[in-house]
């Protein structure tokens, strides 16, 4: 992978959050935030103090920095390596007819967050379910996956880029 700071990332210690905090932080990501009078926050990219920001799991971004983190084809949806893994497992499953639970458990994050991410990717139109429990990437999902792959790896999507393949190599 190119750079640790070229796309959004979930905190490495996210497993320490209780479920209610995890859901709250996930649901409020990207919402505009007005800094209360007397408080100060800085953009995690530019390091400049902000009056208005967008939050991502405790980090604050200026609008310009937020927009720069968005990936080609994401249509405003903040994508991470986890979304890459979810969409990649849908596009190139390691075995026929993998279940949604398999994807949630092998996307590189706690399965409860994998559940939320999978739902959002479906609702946002990146993943389709044309038949019962058989998932496929939509055209929008193909574009988003390609954009994220190019951002992360400087190349189009290849199944061997997925976390599930690399985690087996590292175990």
């Amino acid at each position: 992978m190119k750079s640790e700071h070229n796309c959004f990332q979930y905190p490495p210690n996210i497993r320490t959050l209780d479920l209610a905090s995890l859901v709250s932080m996930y649901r409020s990501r990207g919402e505009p935030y007005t800094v209360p009078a007397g408080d100060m926050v800085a953009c995690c990219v530019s390091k400049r103090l902000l009056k208005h920001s967008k939050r991502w799991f405790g980090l604050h971004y200026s609008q310009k920095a937020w927009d720069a983190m968005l990936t080609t084809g994401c249509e405003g949806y903040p994508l991470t390596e986890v979304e890459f893994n979810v969409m990649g497992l849908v596009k190139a499953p390691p075995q026929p007819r993998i279940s949604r639970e398999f994807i949630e458990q092998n996307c590189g994050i706690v399965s409860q967050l994998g559940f939320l991410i999978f739902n959002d990717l479906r609702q946002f139109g990146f993943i389709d379910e044309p038949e019962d429990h058989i998932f496929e990437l939509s055209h929008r999902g193909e574009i988003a996956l390609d954009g994220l792959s190019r951002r992360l790896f400087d190349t189009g999507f290849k199944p061997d880029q997925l976390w599930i393949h690399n985690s087996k190599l590292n175990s």
Side-chain angles (χ1 to χ4, degrees), residues 6-167:
N6 64 347
C7 73
F8 294 100
Q9 295 180 329
Y10 295 104
N13 62 341
I14 199 163
R15 295 181 194 299
T16 63
L17 292 175
D18 61 275
L19 185 57
S21 298
L22 179 68
V23 170
S24 175
M25 291 180 90
Y26 180 76
R27 289 288 172 222
S28 65
R29 74 202 189 288
E31 290 180 354
Y33 176 75
T34 301
V35 180
D39 286 352
M40 292 183 205
V41 300
C43 175
C44 63
V45 174
S46 71
K47 311 298 186 227
R48 293 181 171 269
L49 293 174
L50 302 171
K51 291 183 182 181
H52 304 282
S53 69
K54 288 194 170 185
R55 292 185 290 182
W56 177 270
F57 290 85
L59 298 176
H60 290 264
Y61 291 85
S62 67
Q63 185 65 54
K64 182 178 178 181
W66 182 270
D67 291 345
M69 296 291 284
L70 294 174
T71 304
T72 302
C74 76
E75 301 184 26
Y77 187 95
L79 296 173
T80 72
E81 289 180 71
V82 175
E83 284 81 3
F84 175 83
N85 283 302
V86 170
M87 290 188 292
L89 285 169
V90 169
K91 179 176 175 71
Q95 58 200 27
R97 298 184 59 93
I98 62 170
S99 68
R100 176 183 171 153
E101 291 77 24
F102 179 88
I103 294 170
E104 292 167 1
Q105 292 171 358
N106 291 283
C107 65
I109 200 83
V110 294
S111 60
Q112 296 92 333
L113 186 54
F115 177 85
L116 295 172
I117 290 168
F118 193 95
N119 280 346
D120 279 2
L121 291 172
R122 282 185 62 206
Q123 287 179 333
F124 209 77
F126 291 137
I127 297 175
D128 290 331
E129 185 180 4
E131 298 179 37
D132 256 357
H133 306 295
I134 297 175
F135 303 101
E136 60 185 38
L137 278 189
S138 66
H139 179 67
R140 293 170 66 193
E142 293 273 353
I143 293 168
L145 179 62
D146 184 67
L148 190 52
S149 180
R150 291 182 188 286
R151 179 168 275 217
L152 293 170
F153 301 102
D154 277 334
T155 184
F157 172 75
K158 297 177 196 154
D160 65 350
Q161 298 164 332
L162 295 173
W163 179 84
I164 191 169
H165 299 298
N166 294 321
S167 68

